């Protein structure tokens, strides 16, 4: 049924004769206007009746006016009337579904292939994001008809879409048909005369005009058609054309909500989404667009989780290696940085054993990002000018820059003035800079421009300060005067220290500690610990000087020790403590504690009968007291053990300070859940110590572990996610054992679900982190647990290898693996 032809015939009947000459089109135009008070130009009518050549089809507006001229409400009313009038009209739904399925395959093949080619690392090495796949699956089954996936460039939006398309069982079962279309093709729509829905169907070779009852047929489809417009920020339109395109997307969302079995997904960066949001007329049909869904990256999807990062690392830098690089062994700031997929890509592309220690510094990753996205990209000079202007404004006024001021500096509003316009919008679309509309009584509405990433901002400011003042006392004083009240100040101190360390400025680093003490001691010692791991010779040169300061010595030994490196950094610090130090006795206890955890029993003094009298001379250090109780309990038996455990409980109750209680708990935690003699001490972890984010996160991990072992109820996906969120809140130098406990919890949870693959991955993470940190005693116990479990599940060879390794550790250390004291030991 050719409805266009039928309309022409109906128009001619209404006109009273055939349209045979071009002059008839002028007369018809006048009659249409007289009848409907709507205008169609004679030129449009000449194209419609074939007097002028054209490749385009009549627009819906033209069809609506002519339908009204013929006595109908609009084009669709005419269409429905013709269908009802046709006695032979019948449903062609199966043919339509088959046509959509067949035609979409080629379009999807090209779109998905393009995404795979653009992937920063080989696509097969990237990770499926199950949390986001759940979001899309929920959307498909929901009563919403449009979904926005918004995040900065390099956040993995397109890669995620490709994985979902390739791995969705409903696609393979032909229950849904996703149609992935690059948003850059919308520019063709902007210059066409088609309605947005007609253009969209034309992308898979379907002429909407040839299916007069399309909306009715769509309602009868056996599945759902999902149009995915990917990378909306790649549209380069401006002015009226851009406005038409953005309005068209909202028209699609509205139209899909009024029909059935058709849905829309768009992916976009935040700046483009904000432009699109300005045309939003029916927010109730959209999912995931609430401002509360957006995080600090201006994304409404989460960054990569630790599991997802580890999967990518295993697929890339760990592939074929005996020793895995674990996400948990990386510094917390670096873990946070590479949760942004583009930064992870940079890390992987630069990774190698020779430069690993340099890459462990997040500053180097940020600088690599700036280099690739600014200085080695298009318009590097213009981009550098803009970023430096923003950094300068923050440096001088600790505030964003008004866009009007930026325009005066660099005419970003004029395409003819250099490439500032394109450079600015490239920075904006990639999420490096952001805009914010504000209103003031004096200035009215204005736009503020700022660097959207604190890491980039801090790095640029640190570089500008160093360039202006050099690495000396002037730099320290200038940063203090300019930023001491700013929230980026602690991070700025760390960056300046890290740069000084990388350039081996010993005298400067000594001054830095001296001038920033005591207010920023924790930030400095955290950075110092990470730097020490990158350069052992510089560590040896700087450490003796630092330990002469009793405040720094106490921080490194007692307050903020590197318990993530009990066999490396922390032990070396302890060995440098001199006999005249007020903390010398404490250091001896701590060394024996490290020896115990590292299964170096032969290095422990008087291990056969460890001196319990030390508690009388320790003074106020609850951390050292906890370590001492661990040694006493471990090297005792029978009634003597019970007596010492009782004293430990009494000591804990006598502690009045929340911080001191936490220090005591941190010391005994590594033994409480693996050695049965320590079990009575579990009760001290029932008290919540939420003075800091670190304490709160550790308490939460311990609670989930104990609750899981009591209830035997597996974690929900949300609980797994929350546990890993807790990891990021732990102190940079004392996080590993809490993470080990968390990964053990997740492993047990997966075992309860019979998910052996994920269970094995989690306990493997825990074991390997034990080895990295030096917790050999715990590694031995966990290796034995894993081996025994695998053998019970039929994995005899694999399980026996773990048991043999545990036996080797036991034999070398003299600690009996099958003692009745150890959990699961026998």
């Amino acid at each position: 049924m050719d409805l266009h032809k039928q309309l022409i015939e109906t128009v001619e009947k209404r006109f009273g004769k055939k349209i045979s000459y071009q002059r008839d089109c002028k007369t018809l135009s006048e009659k249409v206007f007289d009848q409907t008070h709507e205008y169609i130009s004679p030129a449009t009518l000449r194209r419609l009746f074939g007097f002028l050549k054209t490749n385009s089809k009549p627009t819906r507006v033209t069809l609506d006016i002519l339908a009204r001229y013929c006595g109908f409400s609009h084009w669709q009313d005419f269409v429905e009337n013709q269908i009802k009038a046709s006695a032979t009209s019948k449903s062609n739904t199966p043919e339509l579904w088959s046509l959509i399925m067949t035609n979409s395959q080629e379009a999807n093949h090209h779109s998905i292939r393009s995404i795979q080619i653009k992937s920063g690392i080989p696509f097969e090495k990237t990770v499926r994001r199950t949390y986001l796949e759940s979001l899309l699956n929920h959307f498909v089954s929901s009563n919403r008809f449009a979904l926005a996936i918004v995040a900065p460039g390099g956040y993995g939006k397109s890669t995620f879409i490709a994985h979902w398309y390739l791995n969705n069982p409903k696609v393979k079962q032909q229950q849904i048909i996703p149609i992935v279309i690059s948003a850059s093709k919308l520019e063709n729509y902007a210059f066409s005369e088609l309605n947005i829905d007609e253009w969209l169907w034309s992308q898979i070779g379907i002429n909407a005009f040839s299916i007069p009852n399309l909306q009715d047929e769509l309602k009868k489809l056996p599945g759902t058609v999902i149009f995915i417009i990917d990378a909306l920020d790649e549209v380069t339109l401006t002015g009226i054309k851009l406005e038409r395109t953005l309005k068209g997307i909202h028209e699609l969302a509205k139209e899909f909500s009024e029909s059935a079995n058709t849905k829309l997904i768009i992916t976009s960066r935040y700046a483009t989404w904000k432009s699109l949001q300005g045309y939003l007329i029916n927010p109730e049909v959209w999912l995931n667009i609430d401002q509360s869904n957006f995080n600090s990256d201006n994304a409404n999807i989460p960054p990569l989780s630790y599991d997802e990062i580890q999967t990518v690392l295993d697929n890339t830098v760990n592939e074929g290696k005996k020793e895995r690089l674990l996400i948990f062994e990386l510094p917390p700031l670096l873990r946070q940085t590479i949760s942004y997929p583009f930064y992870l890509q940079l890390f992987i592309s630069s990774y190698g054993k020779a430069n690993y220690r340099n890459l462990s510094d997040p500053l180097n990753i940020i600088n690599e990002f700036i280099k690739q996205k600014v200085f080695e990209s298009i318009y590097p000079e213009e981009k550098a000018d803009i970023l430096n202007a923003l950094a300068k404004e923050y440096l001088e006024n600790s505030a964003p820059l008004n866009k009007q001021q930026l325009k005066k500096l660099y005419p970003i509003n004029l395409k003819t003035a250099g490439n500032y316009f394109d450079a600015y919008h490239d920075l904006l679309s990639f999420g490096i800079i952001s805009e914010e509309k504000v209103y003031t009584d004096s200035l009215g509405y204005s736009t503020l421009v700022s660097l959207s990433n604190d890491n980039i901002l801090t790095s640029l400011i640190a570089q500008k300060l160093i360039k202006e003042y050099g690495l000396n006392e002037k730099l320290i004083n200038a940063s203090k005067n300019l930023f001491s009240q700013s929230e980026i100040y602690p991070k700025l101190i760390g960056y300046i220290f890290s740069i000084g360390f990388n350039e081996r400025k010993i005298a400067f680093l000594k001054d830095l500690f001296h001038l920033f003490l005591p207010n920023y001691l924790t930030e400095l010692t955290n950075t110092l610990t990470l730097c020490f791991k990158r350069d052992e010779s510089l560590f040896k040169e700087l450490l003796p000087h630092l330990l002469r300061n009793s405040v720094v010595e106490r921080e490194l030994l007692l307050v903020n020790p590197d318990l993530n490196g009990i066999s490396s950094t922390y032990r070396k610090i302890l060995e440098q403590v001199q006999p005249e130090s007020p903390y010398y006795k404490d250091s001896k206890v701590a060394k024996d504690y490290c020896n115990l955890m590292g299964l170096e029993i032969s290095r422990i003094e008087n291990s056969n009968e460890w001196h319990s009298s030390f508690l009388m001379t320790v003074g106020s250090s609850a951390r050292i007291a906890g370590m001492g109780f661990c040694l006493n309990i471990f090297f005792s038996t029978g009634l003597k053990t019970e007596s010492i455990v009782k004293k430990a409980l009494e000591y804990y109750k006598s502690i009045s300070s929340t911080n001191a209680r936490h220090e005591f708990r941190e010391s005994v935690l590594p033994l409480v859940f693996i050695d049965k003699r320590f079990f009575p001490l579990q009760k001290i972890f029932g008290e919540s110590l939420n003075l800091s984010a670190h304490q709160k996160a550790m308490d939460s991990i311990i609670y989930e572990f104990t609750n899981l072992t009591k209830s035997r109820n597996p974690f929900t996906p949300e609980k797994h996610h929350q546990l890993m969120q807790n990891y990021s809140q732990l102190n940079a130098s004392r996080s590993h054992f809490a993470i080990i406990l968390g990964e053990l919890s997740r492993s047990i949870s997966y075992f309860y679900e019979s998910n052996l693959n994920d269970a094995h991955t989690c306990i493997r993470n825990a074991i390997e982190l034990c080895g990295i940190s030096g917790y050999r005693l715990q590694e031995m116990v966990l290796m034995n647990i894993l081996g025994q479990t695998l053998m019970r599940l039929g994995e005899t060879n694999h399980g026996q290898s773990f048991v043999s390794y545990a036996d080797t550790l036991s034999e070398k250390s003299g600690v009996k693996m099958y003692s009745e004291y150890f959990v699961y030991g026998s």
Side-chain angles (χ1 to χ4, degrees), residues 372-385:
Q372 290 201 20
K373 283 298 162 188
V374 177
F375 300 109
E376 293 181 357
S377 67
I378 55 174
Y379 322 127
E381 292 182 3
E382 290 90 337
K383 287 179 178 177
D385 284 342

Side-chain angles (χ1 to χ4, degrees), residues 41-78:
S41 72
T44 298
L45 292 172
R46 285 197 289 272
R47 283 193 294 270
L48 180 66
F49 285 92
F51 297 110
L52 292 177
K53 287 185 177 181
T54 179
N55 292 324
S56 62
K57 298 177 177 65
T59 67
R60 179 68 66 84
V61 173
T62 298
L63 296 174
D64 283 341
I65 294 173
L66 290 176
R68 282 191 281 275
Y69 172 69
C70 295
F72 299 92
S73 301
H74 41 66
W75 162 248
Q76 192 62 34
D77 184 28
F78 173 82

Side-chain angles (χ1 to χ4, degrees), residues 363 395 459-472 475 492 495-500 503 508:
L363 175 64
L395 195 62
S459 175
L460 287 173
I461 288 175
Q463 290 174 43
K464 286 185 75 66
L465 287 170
I466 291 170
K467 187 175 182 180
E468 183 171 354
Y469 297 102
L471 288 167
N472 53 43
L475 169 68
L492 179 62
Y495 272 35
I496 291 173
F497 184 94
S498 187
I499 292 169
E503 296 190 14
F508 168 73

Side-chain angles (χ1 to χ4, degrees), residues 387-435:
L387 293 180
N388 283 328
L390 296 174
K392 183 173 183 290
E393 180 68 18
Y394 198 94
L395 195 62
E396 294 174 353
N397 300 309
S398 296
L401 184 62
N402 190 299
K403 192 173 181 180
Q404 291 301 321
Q405 292 175 263
L406 191 58
K407 285 181 179 181
K408 290 176 182 177
L409 290 169
Y410 311 111
I412 58 175
N413 56 321
L414 298 176
K415 287 189 175 181
T416 55
N419 292 307
Y420 285 102
F421 179 89
D422 292 326
Y424 179 86
H425 285 279
D426 197 41
L427 292 171
L428 185 66
S429 67
F430 206 83
I432 296 174
I433 63 174
S434 60
E435 295 182 343

Side-chain angles (χ1 to χ4, degrees), residues 41 70 201 215 248 251 283 314 327 459 479 631 673 691 706 821:
S41 72
C70 295
W201 286 109
Q215 294 302 322
E251 287 170 12
D314 288 343
I327 176 63
S459 175
S479 61
L631 290 159
F673 295 104
L691 192 65
T706 54
Y821 299 138

